[in-house]
Amino acid sequence: CVVLDQTAFFPEGGGQYADTGILGNTEVTDVHEKNDVIFHSVTAPLEVGSIVSGKINWKERFEKVQQHTGEHIFSGLVHKHCGYDNVGFHMGTDEVTEDFNGIITQEQLDALEDEANQLIYDNVPVHVFYPSQEELEQLDYRSKKELTGVVRIVEIPGGDICACCGTHVETTGEVGIIKLRT
């Protein structure tokens, strides 16, 4: 594993897979974080103290970003209309699965799919910010756990407001289309 003084590689976490790519002349196959240190799994060693350039596999990253932002849109709308929490999700190569703590009818799914795709069509900006403690206390945001310290909030106006450390598109139009299946 390689540790750098800075990196653009996203470590696996929160349901989002790690980035892959190139560091110097070796492949990055995995990235993980432990105790606030980011470790890059590589296929060949790098010289200690050397300066290296990194290149993220952008096609793969962008697919993850699209899926992750789409998950935000859908989970936010489910929370808004049904009051359910997203209690788990998994990003695969071709689809995202989500688990909620309540039952969603087919009629509700159809309406949620239409509203999610309208939000995508409207090409709404995805806003990422770090509110002060006072501002955070006033926000009605989704979070799977109690948070302390600096909190990163992702807001999709009309769709979601959630504490999240993941990667996202700049505007909802970049998500593409959401198709729900049961």
Side-chain angles (χ1 to χ4, degrees):
C1 283
V2 172
V3 175
L4 305 171
D5 65 349
Q6 59 184 337
T7 186
F9 285 82
F10 182 81
E12 182 174 1
Q16 189 167 348
Y17 290 113
D19 284 326
T20 61
I22 303 289
L23 269 181
N25 57 3
T26 185
E27 288 183 52
V28 176
T29 58
D30 190 24
V31 184
H32 60 277
E33 183 176 6
K34 185 175 182 180
N35 299 327
D36 296 325
V37 177
I38 297 176
F39 297 90
H40 303 74
S41 298
V42 294
T43 57
L46 294 170
E47 185 179 332
V48 174
S50 63
I51 296 174
V52 294
S53 293
K55 182 178 180 184
I56 293 170
N57 177 336
W58 180 249
K59 182 180 183 299
E60 181 182 84
R61 158 75 82 90
F62 190 66
E63 288 172 358
K64 293 173 191 172
V65 168
Q66 288 174 303
Q67 290 180 354
H68 185 74
T69 308
E71 179 270 329
H72 270 280
I73 293 168
F74 183 63
S75 293
L77 292 175
V78 167
H79 184 76
K80 175 180 167 182
H81 293 296
C82 303
Y84 301 148
D85 294 317
N86 176 329
V87 293
F89 85 102
H90 172 76
M91 290 173 41
T93 7
D94 298 323
E95 64 185 15
V96 175
T97 59
E98 297 186 58
D99 302 312
F100 294 96
N101 59 352
I103 304 297
I104 304 171
T105 67
Q106 186 61 52
E107 184 178 296
Q108 289 171 313
L109 280 176
D110 292 343
L112 289 163
E113 180 179 276
D114 289 345
E115 186 173 351
N117 283 309
Q118 185 61 55
L119 195 58
I120 291 167
Y121 178 78
D122 291 343
N123 203 28
V124 175
V126 176
H127 181 57
V128 177
F129 62 104
Y130 299 85
S132 68
Q133 191 61 43
E134 296 87 22
E135 293 169 322
L136 188 62
E137 290 170 6
Q138 300 302 312
L139 285 176
D140 182 21
Y141 65 96
R142 293 185 312 113
S143 178
K144 291 184 179 165
K145 59 184 179 179
E146 192 68 32
L147 301 171
T148 59
V150 177
V151 177
R152 183 175 187 257
I153 298 291
V154 175
E155 180 181 21
I156 302 168
D160 192 24
I161 185 163
C162 183
C164 184
C165 67
T167 57
H168 307 87
V169 296
E170 295 286 325
T171 61
T172 57
E174 294 176 273
V175 169
I177 190 169
I178 290 177
K179 177 62 183 158
L180 301 178
R181 299 181 312 175
T182 56

